[in-house]
Amino acid sequence: MEPYRSSPGTLILLVGIALMALSCSRDLAGYADPLIGTAYTGHTFPGAARPFGFVQPGPHTGNFGWEHCSGYNNDDPRIWGFGQNHLNGTGIPDLGDLMMMPFSERSGPRFRSSWDKETEYAVPGYYSVSLTENDVNVEITCTKHTAVHRYHYEGAARNLYIDFQSAQTSSEHQYDTHVLDARVNFESPSTVTGYANVTGWVQRRYYYVIEFSSPVTGKEIVPGNPSNKAPKYVLRFGPGDNDIMVKVAISTVGIDEARANLAAEVPDWNFDRVRSDARDEWNRYFSMIEISGTEEQKTNFYTSFYHLLLQPNDIADASGSYRGADDKVYCAESGHYYSTFSLWDTFRAAHPFYSLFMPDKASDMVNDMLVHSDVQGFLPIWALWGKENYCMIGNHAVPVVVDACLKNLAGVDKEDAYRAVKKSLTQPHYRSEWDIYDRYGYFPYDIIREESVSRTLECCYDDYCAAMLAGDLGYDEDYAFFMERAGFYRNLFDTENRLARGRDSKGAWRTPFDKFHLSHGGTSGGDYTEGNAWQYTWHIMHDIDGLVDLMGGRENFITKLDSLFIIDTKADVTGFVGDVTGLIGQYAHGNEPSHHVAYLYSAVGEGARTAEIVREIFDRFYSPRPDGLCGNDDCGQMSAWYMFSAMGFYPVDSISGEYIVGAPQIPYFKVKLPNGKVLKITAENLSESNRYVKNVTFNGIPAGNVITYSQIMSGGELRFEMTDRQCVHTEIY
């Protein structure tokens, strides 16, 4: 097995097509490192995966708590087993089904094994490791619905522990009780089938077929907690060669559908073919964007690309069948049904990336959100396995749907989309008390006890998005209604402190007011979501001019923005606020509400400060190590920020079709656009000292501080001339 490697390079100053040919292998998957983000707070996992695939098998080093949301933490001493599905970078645990652990004559305690870090190897579509206590070398790959394991036993005995109770949970008690009902059937010596009905972040069902390359010659039940509803087995295999392969196919619908998935995708026992096909599929995606730069830059960029494509997950079977939000079975006409929508995070940059560079996928995702809305009555808030978990605030499928409509993505019906948007923002449902919102013009903190300020500001953006679609369709009254709502943020702006501040139902300000106090919903209370007043005041992506006016003009706005990045005061904290990481002053790059803020400088003509902050974020918070991410990857949002910022622009207002220009961090990009055209991005003279932008041109024409969707789609060259001098631009966005 090849060892894990992640070596930094030296800065490459020469750019161009000749360098691209020399430095960019067509096997771009070799640059993506799934071990990045697997320690500290990244919450990524290093297993095998296909782009947007359903199963994502890989190692577990723990099953309980926030640090094991993905099931794996690189700092842990032992691997517990290998589950068949995982979440990428979330702050709440789930999945981790059907954990398997091979062992030879001996095993570590409770079947867990230390592992040889030098042998751990992870690339897109493949994972391998040597279990030192269990005397087994493990390899894992997968197709869309089927995990494929290959175990090489060092000893004569060939054993396999399977935990059918397994899952990523918040506590050991939840682990013991999350299975509501389960059945395990040994159909034959080489086939096990079954299902489980489980509850965690969502309540869901999964059905499976497990096939072994050698027959099971003996089995024994491993005692578990009396509250467990699913068994744990040790399976024993008879004499033979030292390798055993295991195929695990999963479906949300039924055992027959899981069996059909297996037959369609892995009809034989050719592990190497599945592994090769997986790498080829990843390379087809990665080849859309080729870069020149250092080895470290390539590793960071393609790892970000990899994390971005781990979700949303297509949960439909090979036949198109899937289980919907109401737990009923449906058949997708497109053959796809996407879920795992972490929309509070991903509406900001991940979905704008899909709509810009993968419009066919974006259309499918949006249409599946509309189907989800038809079933549950409103657009998804945070959907997992087709079910709603209501996590986070706002209704941020709205900007994703509106973005697709305003870009006229093929296959999206604007009228259907608008009906879903309007219904979601006017008919009350959980955490969407529109009667209170409309009555007061904000969410009063004495009625809405948690996150009242953040909820108001997040909803203002959704309302603005709805207004833009209403206006596009000619619904003038609706446009006026939603635009009035979009301005509700002004009702919570405290002109004395120049910060967003909570108000009660009588209009009185929150007193006392601790502008540094971090809130975290149900875990630490307060008026903000995973943040404080300093971080949330800037959440006005749709009306920067309006926020500038409230601040008292451009100079006051810039001074306040400077203060955000300088003041490092910390208030006493009660409860959990572990998501607020990656701090520069009060700015928190490890959490999504801050992601657009560096670009506000450029929006008011101070692009040099944007360049400085973006470079600092790159240098401090993205590195090719297991602890290289400063916060949860959050289903690709942290990665999407990196990719956009590396190219030199960012979708501050994600539906506007305008991208605020920043400062590129990689010398050269060649982007194959979905319409067949090519966009080249060149950062001339980019270096450690040349971090500032002197001039920007698009196809030879000065570009100012905004580049548009239509410009990008037309192809050509976006050229940045970089310098070591701070160049202040006065053009205002």
Side-chain angles (χ1 to χ4, degrees), residues 548 551-560 606:
V548 169
M551 289 284 185
R554 178 176 178 271
E555 295 305 317
N556 286 337
F557 180 88
I558 293 170
T559 299
K560 194 72 171 182
E606 291 287 338

Side-chain angles (χ1 to χ4, degrees), residues 356-357 359 672-678 710 712-715:
L356 183 61
F357 298 119
K672 299 174 184 175
L673 297 170
N675 58 9
K677 297 183 180 181
V678 173
S710 60
I712 292 172
M713 287 295 102
S714 68

